[in-house]
Amino acid sequence: MAWKIRITDEAKKDYSKIEGDVRKQVLAGIVKVSKAPLPSPNGYGKPLGNKNGNNLTGFFKIKYRGIGIRVVYTLVVDEMIMNVLVISQRDDNYCYELAAKLYKKYGNGIFEDSFKEF
């Protein structure tokens, strides 16, 4: 059973800027990961930790190597919700800085059901 997917306004805006075929690949990857977003061995999630001086514990990433995109998300485990926070070019510094800024903006709301459906 797939988890519900929620998205920040910021990620939705970035998603809308991506060209058609790449957008389809990004969406397909998010849908695939939403079926098992927790870390291995049971899922696809790649946990983040301390990235470039930003504590991103509790955050996960999806890497799209071929298209140069990275998605950062959090989970509301007891409600089976996947919150997509960042959809950006695969530049580690930019992507993780943006995730840290969103954490400051939304606080612990990024670990709750507080965003719109994707």
Side-chain angles (χ1 to χ4, degrees):
M1 181 174 159
W3 292 43
K4 292 179 233 162
I5 302 169
R6 304 282 191 256
I7 188 168
T8 63
D9 289 339
E10 294 85 355
K12 193 169 201 169
K13 183 178 174 182
D14 289 338
Y15 178 75
S16 70
K17 293 177 185 176
I18 299 171
E19 295 182 21
D21 288 341
V22 174
R23 186 182 307 165
K24 288 177 187 175
Q25 286 180 280
V26 170
L27 180 59
I30 291 170
V31 169
K32 176 183 173 182
V33 170
S34 76
K35 294 176 184 173
L38 292 166
S40 302
N42 300 321
Y44 299 110
K46 304 258 188 281
L48 299 174
N50 191 353
K51 296 288 186 184
N52 302 322
N54 295 306
N55 184 2
L56 299 178
T57 303
F59 292 67
F60 300 87
K61 68 180 175 184
I62 304 169
K63 287 197 306 191
Y64 299 85
R65 291 186 185 141
I67 58 175
I69 300 286
R70 180 165 286 151
V71 172
V72 176
Y73 66 94
T74 60
L75 300 173
V76 185
V77 176
D78 50 335
E79 297 181 40
M80 293 185 66
I81 295 171
M82 178 178 166
N83 289 324
V84 176
L85 305 174
V86 176
I87 300 173
S88 78
Q89 294 299 317
R90 208 175 119 217
D91 176 322
D92 287 350
N93 292 330
Y94 175 74
C95 182
Y96 300 140
E97 288 291 326
L98 186 54
K101 285 179 185 175
L102 291 174
Y103 190 21
K104 288 177 185 167
K105 177 179 179 180
Y106 293 111
N108 286 333
I110 62 168
F111 299 107
E112 300 170 0
D113 182 9
S114 49
F115 302 106
K116 299 173 189 159
E117 284 189 49
F118 190 31

